[in-house]
Amino acid sequence: PIAEIPDKIRNIVSNFNAYEKVIATQQKELSQYEAKRIILENTKEIRGIRIINTQVSSTPMSALLQLGDVLKDELKSAVIVLATIYEDKPYFMATITNDLIPKGLHSGKLIKKISEIAGGSGGGKAETAQAGAKYKEKLADAIQAVPRIVEDFLEENNA
């Protein structure tokens, strides 16, 4: 009956909102699990600075940023660059802990150089930045360049 349609719509919207909350909780739990794996498998060190530069499974930018935050919280002091191919396009995010910024490291500048390798552009603040790119076949090259780019920034700033 037509009179029941508004209640049915409210019920559908309510269920949808409940499912969104469940998905958000599961994404956070997955990020924490993924962070531990990434730390174990991908942590490098240059001049006493921990660096993580890796590609993760296909994920939207919001989840990529969330994973970066989890990694940053776990490591306390690090340069973190993550990449993914989502909906057939390459994306990058970078985050740097506040203690490393005075050494000349800046997420926005870092992500700009990295994304250019894959035909992209991006930017952001000193602590966190993001970028998109055109060439997914260049994503691995871009990620592998992170330690060299970090080293260049450190040399420029005599850190």
Side-chain angles (χ1 to χ4, degrees), residues 73-115:
D73 289 345
E74 286 282 327
L75 292 171
K76 308 292 186 228
S77 179
V79 173
I80 299 156
V81 179
L82 303 175
T84 192
I85 296 174
Y86 182 69
E87 295 182 345
D88 211 35
K89 291 185 78 174
Y91 294 96
F92 301 91
M93 71 77 55
T95 187
I96 297 173
T97 54
N98 289 330
D99 64 311
L100 300 177
I101 293 169
K103 294 184 178 198
L105 299 174
H106 188 286
S107 292
K109 293 175 183 175
L110 179 62
I111 207 74
K112 182 173 176 26
K113 287 199 175 273
I114 293 163
S115 63

Side-chain angles (χ1 to χ4, degrees), residues 14 18 30 36 39 41 50 53-54 58 70 72 76 81 93 96 101 109 112 122-123 130 134 139 144 146 148 150:
S14 176
L30 182 61
K36 289 178 182 170
I39 290 169
E41 296 175 3
R50 286 186 285 190
N53 57 309
T54 191
S58 181
V70 171
K72 193 159 103 171
K76 308 292 186 228
V81 179
M93 71 77 55
I96 297 173
I101 293 169
K109 293 175 183 175
K112 182 173 176 26
Q130 57 188 327
K134 294 178 188 173
L139 187 130
Q144 289 174 352
V146 171
R148 179 186 48 80
V150 168

Side-chain angles (χ1 to χ4, degrees), residues 20 28 49-50 69-71 81 91 104 121-122 130 157-158:
E20 278 188 324
K28 186 173 182 178
I49 296 172
R50 286 186 285 190
D69 287 343
V70 171
L71 287 164
V81 179
Y91 294 96
S121 64
Q130 57 188 327
N157 291 283
N158 299 317

Side-chain angles (χ1 to χ4, degrees), residues 7-24:
D7 287 337
K8 295 278 186 190
I9 291 173
R10 276 190 282 280
N11 191 25
I12 290 170
V13 169
S14 176
N15 286 339
F16 180 77
N17 290 337
Y19 291 136
E20 278 188 324
K21 288 178 185 176
V22 169
I23 290 169

